[in-house]
């Protein structure tokens, strides 16, 4: 099992940048594919980005491709989401997720979730 703790969410102006971090503890982190999802008020959980166990494979939602970058540091058991060109529609609670094995863009594939961090994009 792994435990996940996200951080880095805050209020940012449109066009701004932000980096989220998710620190894992427990099991061997590089056995897990990881991903970021988000949930806006009144909406369902939405896939954002995912990264393979080694970090050499990534996949993004169309809505964030070219603006967001997912990365991981297995030595630090941390996965990051670098966000730039932020828009008001990026406002959401962002969740980190992990699953043993292959990475995925489907929320139902993930067994472990963090508590979320709030990102608000507003002037």
């Amino acid at each position: 099992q792994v435990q996940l703790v996200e951080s880095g969410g805050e209020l940012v102006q449109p066009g701004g940048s932000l980096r989220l971090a998710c620190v894992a503890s427990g099991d061997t982190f590089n056995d897990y594919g990881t991903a970021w999802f988000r949930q806006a008020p009144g909406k369902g959980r939405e896939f954002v980005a995912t990264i393979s166990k080694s970090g050499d494979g990534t996949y993004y939602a169309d809505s964030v491709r070219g603006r967001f970058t997912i990365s991981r540091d297995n030595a630090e058991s941390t996965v990051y989401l670098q966000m730039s060109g932020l828009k008001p529609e990026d406002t959401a609670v962002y969740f980190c997720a992990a699953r043993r094995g292959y990475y995925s863009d489907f929320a139902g594939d993930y067994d472990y979730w963090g508590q979320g961090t709030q990102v608000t994009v507003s002037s």
Side-chain angles (χ1 to χ4, degrees):
Q1 291 189 355
V2 292
Q3 294 77 44
L4 304 170
V5 179
E6 304 96 333
S7 63
E10 63 181 60
L11 173 64
V12 62
Q13 292 189 345
S17 297
L18 207 55
R19 188 176 79 159
L20 306 182
C22 172
V23 178
S25 61
D27 207 350
T28 305
F29 183 60
N30 58 11
D31 284 343
Y32 290 79
T34 59
W36 288 95
F37 291 80
R38 66 187 181 186
Q39 188 164 13
K43 295 188 177 181
R45 194 160 295 191
E46 175 190 20
F47 166 73
V48 175
T50 185
I51 189 166
S52 64
K53 295 182 291 183
S54 65
D56 60 357
T58 59
Y59 181 70
Y60 297 91
D62 289 344
S63 59
V64 307
R65 187 175 291 114
R67 299 189 297 123
F68 291 10
T69 301
I70 188 171
S71 62
R72 64 189 294 161
D73 182 342
N74 284 341
E76 297 295 327
S77 297
T78 302
V79 60
Y80 300 99
L81 186 68
Q82 178 68 49
M83 306 184 291
S84 61
L86 283 162
K87 306 175 183 180
E89 51 263 44
D90 294 318
T91 295
V93 177
Y94 283 71
F95 296 91
C96 176
R99 69 183 299 264
R100 182 178 289 275
Y102 200 68
Y103 61 122
S104 169
D105 62 351
F106 178 52
D109 284 338
Y110 287 88
D111 300 308
Y112 306 101
W113 293 82
Q115 83 291 346
T117 186
Q118 176 70 48
V119 173
T120 303
V121 184
S122 176
S123 54

